[in-house]
Amino acid sequence: MKTIAILGSTGSIGTQSIDVAQKRGYKVAALTAHSNAELLERQARLLKPEKVALYDENAAKDLKIKLRDTNVEVLSGMQGICECAAVSSADTVINSIVGMAGLRPTLAVINAGKQLALANKESLVAGGKLVTESARKNGVPILPVDSEHSAIFQCLQGKPSNRALKKIILTASGGPFFGKTKSELENVTAADALKHPNWSMGAKITIDSATMFNKGLELIEAVWLFGVEPSMVDIVVHRESIVHSMVEYDDNAVIAQLGLPDMRIPIQYALTYPERYASPVEEIDFASVAKLTFYKPDYDTFRCINICRSAIDKGGLAPAAVNSANEEINRLFREGKVRFNDIPDLITEGASAAPNMESYTADDIDETDKVVRSAVLSAISRKD
Ligand code: NDP
Ligand code: MG
């Protein structure tokens, strides 16, 4: 029987991963979250893991009391999460933590020699070289959970051994503000941005979809996962979210992966690869979908995509810097402290405070994160 661990188990991907694990009959050895002790308690009682961890120390104390009648070991802090990431009985660990906080756990899974089912794109964006080099050294596969990257991974199965891959085509839903002009976006709020047309996801990624920073993150994620040049990754807006991404070969044959927008397909594929099994997701009824549309992204209105493209072209810590700037600004936008149209300039300004380094350690990334977040806060206070 397969044994897994789920980091970020209380979130959107985490709860869907539990659903998949239960339907497949997997054993769950560890679960982690930030501070949601109530839901983690319920999950622990249901799945009986060996260990659980909460990042927040007080919430972990509370959870320890809640679970005192069980055999579940309750850990806390980043160290506790990394201990769960390396839990000895798990073969595969799903990292569905949101944000840069997923970096150390990603490295902990790899260093423990376990298969990594990766939803946490920020760890790959911030530490791409570090993560992929340690995965290679430890002989650990990184199985993508992000729907576009799962699609690309699926399209690459059976790829010829010669250099036949010409292009990766990432599809983007366009988010809630597709077709809007800059002036129409002047006064949009976080509540408007949180209304995603096709996907139900956590708040941070939903805002990233509205700014299309998410597609920039996914461009960088694709570069690291598939070892391609950034110029080989194209982006096309596809409103229906039925085609999850495509690859184009040298002969101009394009292979696409299609399905209803439901993350349980990519989550399950990352856990069962290379096999496939029945899933709880419904079939596509093509006649009712009727048509599939494709548009060029509006790079002037959604400038975050090219901010990410420039960062990966620059390399070194530049992707980590734009990621940290975005995380801070994303939070401030949700708190109503930043205007939607100011987001791209604030990201560029905050990220410019980062040191320039070609090779880096996890500590360098953490240091960059601190410097950039404080640069963002001072840029905002100058604006007020
Ligand atoms: P959610 O916000 O729904 O869940 C985030 C999870 O991470 C929660 O379990 C949360 O715990 C935990 N967490 C938050 N901050 C920390 C921290 N500092 N340290 C440890 N744990 C933390 O996010 P999503 O599930 O939407 O997204 C998770 C990841 O998957 C992101 O990287 C996202 O980009 C990626 N992804 C998500 C998709 C989706 O459909 N949702 C699609 C493709 C990729 P708590 O509940 O206690 O706060
Ligand atoms: Mg995606």
Side-chain angles (χ1 to χ4, degrees):
M1 196 198 339
K2 198 176 178 83
T3 302
I4 64 167
I6 306 172
L7 315 177
S9 64
T10 54
S12 161
I13 295 290
T15 49
Q16 294 179 85
S17 299
I18 290 179
D19 187 24
V20 170
Q22 283 195 290
K23 291 200 166 84
R24 298 261 356 106
Y26 296 155
K27 197 170 162 351
V28 178
L31 298 168
T32 79
H34 177 267
S35 49
N36 190 345
E38 243 165 67
L39 182 51
L40 197 55
E41 180 197 356
R42 266 184 281 145
Q43 293 179 340
R45 290 192 183 279
L46 179 72
L47 301 165
K48 304 188 173 41
E50 295 158 37
K51 297 172 197 277
V52 296
L54 282 172
Y55 181 79
D56 185 279
E57 304 281 347
N58 288 327
K61 275 187 201 141
D62 181 27
L63 184 63
K64 206 166 191 165
I65 297 168
K66 288 182 195 295
L67 289 175
R68 70 187 151 198
D69 61 315
T70 70
N71 294 325
V72 181
E73 186 183 355
V74 179
L75 304 164
S76 66
M78 191 43 79
Q79 202 185 330
I81 291 177
C82 289
E83 218 174 290
C84 287
V87 60
S88 57
S89 57
D91 334 291
T92 305
V93 180
I94 302 176
N95 184 354
S96 59
I97 292 171
V98 63
M100 247 271 298
L103 178 63
R104 302 268 175 180
T106 281
L107 293 171
V109 174
I110 294 171
N111 290 330
K114 297 178 186 303
Q115 297 207 69
L116 173 63
L118 187 65
N120 175 257
K121 61 189 88 181
E122 295 91 344
S123 57
L124 201 52
V125 168
K129 198 166 175 200
L130 200 63
V131 170
T132 50
E133 275 177 5
S134 48
R136 228 183 343 264
K137 251 187 252 152
N138 287 283
V140 168
I142 302 179
L143 299 158
V145 170
D146 207 351
S147 59
E148 294 76 3
H149 304 75
S150 173
I152 295 159
F153 184 61
Q154 293 177 59
C155 295
L156 288 172
Q157 301 304 313
K159 175 188 171 296
S161 54
N162 64 1
R163 292 174 40 95
L165 182 67
K166 195 167 112 189
K167 220 192 259 179
I168 282 176
I169 305 159
L170 279 179
T171 52
S173 72
F177 302 144
F178 171 76
K180 297 257 185 279
T181 61
K182 251 183 231 169
S183 64
E184 287 170 330
L185 293 172
E186 196 75 30
N187 295 314
V188 293
T189 62
D192 300 321
L194 285 169
K195 290 178 201 137
H196 197 281
N198 305 340
W199 296 96
S200 159
M201 312 178 283
K204 192 256 175 187
I205 185 176
T206 308
I207 299 296
D208 285 348
S209 300
T211 60
M212 293 194 78
F213 193 89
N214 183 51
K215 219 37 66 176
L217 289 175
E218 292 183 352
L219 156 68
I220 300 173
E221 189 185 3
V223 167
W224 289 115
L225 278 174
F226 305 111
V228 296
E229 289 300 318
S231 58
M232 283 171 69
V233 184
D234 271 2
I235 296 167
V236 65
V237 174
H238 165 54
R239 294 295 285 159
E240 296 80 11
S241 296
I242 293 290
V243 176
H244 297 306
S245 278
M246 307 178 253
V247 302
E248 186 173 306
Y249 288 100
D250 280 343
D251 55 0
N252 290 342
V254 176
I255 316 275
Q257 187 258 329
L258 284 73
L260 290 179
D262 189 315
M263 289 305 295
R264 290 173 301 177
I265 293 179
I267 292 168
Q268 177 166 299
Y269 190 66
L271 293 176
T272 65
Y273 168 79
E275 308 300 340
R276 289 184 188 270
Y277 296 92
S279 89
V281 182
E282 280 177 34
E283 295 175 0
I284 304 179
D285 174 0
F286 280 99
S288 76
V289 172
K291 69 174 183 201
L292 300 173
T293 59
F294 301 92
Y295 307 88
K296 190 172 177 241
D298 175 354
Y299 289 108
D300 290 332
T301 307
F302 299 97
R303 284 157 51 212
C304 291
I305 305 175
N306 282 334
I307 290 176
C308 290
R309 197 178 274 283
S310 304
I312 186 67
D313 283 340
K314 194 168 168 202
L317 285 168
V322 295
N323 176 65
S324 288
N326 176 63
E327 278 188 28
E328 192 65 13
I329 294 161
N330 180 308
R331 180 179 64 79
L332 292 163
F333 175 69
R334 276 181 276 154
E335 291 171 3
K337 294 178 184 150
V338 163
R339 294 168 70 84
F340 188 81
N341 282 348
D342 290 340
I343 292 175
D345 285 341
L346 284 170
I347 293 174
T348 307
E349 190 171 344
S352 69
N356 213 343
M357 266 183 227
E358 190 41 49
S359 63
Y360 49 80
T361 62
D363 288 342
D364 295 327
I365 297 172
D366 284 342
E367 187 51 34
T368 302
D369 187 58
K370 278 197 207 110
V371 170
V372 166
R373 284 178 197 257
S374 97
V376 164
L377 293 175
S378 37
I380 290 169
S381 64
R382 274 199 304 279
K383 252 181 159 349
D384 290 342

